[in-house]
């Protein structure tokens, strides 16, 4: 029997150009992060409900906490009062995307040339040291921009001490390049029992004599310390469905997960008592155990230090990891899930399994899980508003 003819235009992985091969095999590995744009918008509006008299800078630093800057901008653009981030390039990206809301640069100026760029793109750098004031003083004639004055009220990272702030404020207000000044500070303990009162007391004399805008409150302060809201609040982790508190879940504040990381079982092993799993054999079975191997590892952003027993969902049913996380795989216990097998869906965190819970088991915080999502993980979107112009299944912006 003769062989079937082969089209001369057929593309095979062996002969295709690299980009064609990439298209042929793209997304064949089952891991995927799903970003819920509706959840981002919902969580922003939760922040607004907790601070109804304030406007809110959506904090989209670190590539929107790993969710994708442009993706977050498309989701939040129609509702956000403003944005806050670190990088000048990312701020320009937001402007080029058509966003006209105020944008704050949380670490301010890094080089003298940043001053003119900030003026050109109407960006507001936070000024936290004398060197940045010198950059403003040396600005070209005609340059005017609004700035933030960062006050070190106890965090001891960036900013001027409250005692020196009045003189610094007067100096900034005297500079030709400065159009207006917003007071800024950051809370060190808004998420724990110490709270914010001790920092607010340090800030009170400065606030009392100030007539401009003020921005102090982060996610924890928004949710538990309403008196700290002032003119602008800065929701960060709460936008992405994470709780800033170790004693309260995101769901208790009506926050929805914006990122769900899923994969599938790609292998199953049946082991007996005394057998071990993974590098170092950290898990030793005490009974016959059915082990599921998941296509997810630390090269995908899952924390290598997550211990055995970290929660996962397999086909929607809770189970736990076994042994050490590998670069591309991790193991989970299928002993009580007889219906699960190769192809079963595994939720690593997100819908049905809070990232905060996974992070706590791994000895970290959900911020780190989100920010560590690897570039090799495909990303899809759901919950797009028709006004955003984003396809519900579109990937991109990460």
């Amino acid at each position: 029997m003769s062989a079937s003819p082969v089209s001369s235009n057929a593309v095979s992985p062996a002969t295709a150009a690299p980009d064609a091969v990439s298209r042929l095999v793209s997304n064949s590995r089952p891991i995927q992060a799903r970003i819920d744009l509706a959840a981002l918008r919902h969580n922003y509006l939760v922040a607004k409900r907790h601070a109804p008299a304030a406007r809110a800078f959506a904090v989209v630093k670190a590539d929107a906490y790993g969710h994708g800057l442009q993706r977050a901008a498309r989701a939040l653009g129609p509702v956000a009062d403003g944005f806050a981030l670190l990088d000048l390039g990312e701020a320009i990206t937001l402007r080029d995307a058509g966003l006209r809301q105020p944008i704050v640069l949380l670490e301010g100026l890094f080089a003298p040339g940043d001053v003119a760029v900030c003026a050109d793109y109407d960006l507001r750098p936070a000024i936290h040291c004398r060197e940045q004031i010198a950059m403003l003083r040396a600005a070209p004639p005609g340059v005017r921009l609004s700035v933030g004055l960062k006050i070190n009220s106890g965090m001891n990272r960036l900013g001027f001490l409250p005692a020196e702030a009045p003189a610094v404020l007067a100096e900034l207000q005297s500079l030709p390049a400065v159009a207006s000044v917003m007071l800024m500070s950051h809370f060190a303990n808004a998420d724990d029992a110490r709270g914010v009162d001790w920092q607010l007391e340090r800030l009170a004399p400065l606030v009392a004599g100030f007539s401009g805008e003020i921005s102090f409150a982060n996610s924890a302060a928004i949710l538990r310390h309403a008196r700290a809201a002032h003119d602008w609040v800065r929701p960060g982790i709460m936008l992405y469905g994470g709780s800033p508190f170790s004693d309260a879940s995101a769901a208790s504040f009506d926050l929805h997960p914006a990122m769900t990381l899923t994969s599938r079982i790609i292998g199953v092993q049946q082991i007996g008592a005394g057998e071990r799993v993974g590098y170092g054999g950290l898990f030793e079975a005490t009974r016959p155990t059915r082990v599921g191997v998941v296509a997810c590892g630390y090269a995908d952003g899952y924390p290598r230090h997550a211990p055995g027993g970290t929660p996962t969902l397999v086909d929607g049913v809770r189970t736990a990891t076994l042994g050490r996380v590998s670069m591309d795989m991790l193991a989970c216990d299928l002993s009580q899930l007889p219906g699960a097998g190769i192809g079963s869906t595994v939720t690593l965190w997100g819908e049905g399994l809070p990232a905060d819970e996974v992070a706590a088991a791994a000895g970290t915080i959900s911020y780190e899980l989100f920010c560590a999502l690897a570039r090799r993980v495909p990303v899809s979107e759901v919950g797009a508003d028709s006004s955003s112009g984003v396809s519900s299944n579109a990937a991109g912006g990460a």
Side-chain angles (χ1 to χ4, degrees):
M1 184 174 180
S2 61
S4 300
V6 179
S7 168
S8 61
N9 294 323
V11 176
S12 71
T15 60
D19 60 339
V21 174
S22 177
R23 288 194 297 272
L24 285 171
V25 299
S26 65
N27 300 344
S28 61
R29 189 165 177 260
I31 192 168
Q32 176 179 271
R34 185 178 71 248
I35 307 300
D36 188 336
L37 305 184
L40 284 170
R41 288 190 294 273
H42 168 86
N43 296 337
Y44 178 86
L45 294 175
V46 170
K48 292 282 287 183
R49 289 201 299 271
H50 278 268
R55 289 184 285 176
F57 290 115
V59 180
V60 292
K61 63 181 180 176
D63 198 29
Y65 290 48
H67 291 66
L69 175 65
Q70 294 186 51
R71 182 177 295 115
R74 293 195 302 270
L76 297 170
V79 295
D81 300 315
F83 294 89
L85 39 63
L86 302 185
D87 298 329
L88 192 61
E90 289 189 340
I92 292 171
T93 295
L94 295 185
R95 287 288 185 244
D96 288 345
L99 297 180
R100 295 292 172 258
Q101 297 97 318
I103 297 176
V104 168
L105 300 177
L106 295 170
E107 292 182 0
L109 307 166
F110 294 101
D114 292 351
V115 178
V117 177
C118 285
D120 288 344
Y121 285 90
D122 191 21
L123 308 175
R124 304 182 181 187
I127 304 303
H128 60 78
C129 63
R130 288 273 171 200
E131 289 75 7
Q132 292 177 332
I133 295 176
M135 294 179 197
L136 292 171
R137 189 177 299 281
V143 166
R144 295 274 287 173
L145 69 162
S146 296
V147 303
L149 171 56
K150 193 72 170 283
I151 308 300
N152 174 14
S153 57
M155 188 85 166
N156 291 319
R157 295 193 309 188
L158 301 178
F160 298 92
L161 294 173
E164 59 185 337
V168 174
L169 174 61
E171 184 176 358
L172 285 174
Q173 291 173 329
S174 72
L175 295 179
V178 175
S180 65
V181 180
M182 176 173 64
L183 288 186
M184 301 179 68
S185 195
H186 196 55
F187 294 124
N189 300 98
D191 58 335
D192 63 32
R194 193 180 184 192
V196 301
D197 286 349
W198 64 280
Q199 285 180 269
L200 289 176
E201 289 173 5
R202 295 180 179 186
L203 292 163
L206 188 59
V207 169
F210 186 70
S211 59
E213 295 181 326
I214 296 172
S215 177
F216 296 156
N218 55 7
S219 291
I222 292 166
L223 294 171
R224 283 193 174 166
H225 305 286
R227 62 192 175 282
H230 290 282
D231 302 290
W232 284 90
V233 295
R234 304 191 304 270
I237 189 62
M238 67 181 297
L239 291 181
Y240 308 99
S243 172
F245 307 108
S246 61
D247 63 350
S249 69
S252 70
F253 296 104
D254 190 32
L255 298 172
H256 298 174
M259 178 191 293
T260 297
L261 182 65
T262 62
S263 190
R264 293 187 182 274
I265 301 290
I266 60 170
V268 177
Q269 300 290 336
Q270 182 70 49
I271 65 173
E275 290 291 320
R276 295 173 180 266
V277 174
Y279 287 115
L282 297 187
F283 171 78
E284 181 178 354
T286 59
R287 54 175 172 75
T289 302
R290 192 162 174 259
V291 179
V293 180
V294 185
C296 177
Y298 60 78
D300 300 300
Y302 196 88
R304 182 180 182 273
H305 56 275
T310 298
T312 62
L313 300 180
V314 176
D315 289 338
V317 180
R318 181 175 289 253
T319 185
T321 62
L322 300 174
R324 179 173 287 162
V325 176
S326 303
M327 180 180 287
D328 309 303
M329 291 174 281
L330 58 83
C332 65
D333 190 354
L334 301 182
S335 301
Q336 304 303 313
L337 302 173
I342 291 178
S344 290
T345 298
V346 180
T347 300
L348 287 314
W349 65 70
E351 189 173 351
L353 181 62
D356 294 316
E357 185 177 350
V358 176
T364 185
I365 53 178
S366 59
Y367 308 63
E368 184 176 13
L369 298 188
F370 298 150
C371 292
L373 184 71
R375 291 181 61 85
R376 77 178 191 175
V377 177
V379 180
S380 65
E381 297 174 7
V382 297
D385 189 312
S386 60
S387 67
S388 70
V390 182
S391 168
S392 61
N393 293 316

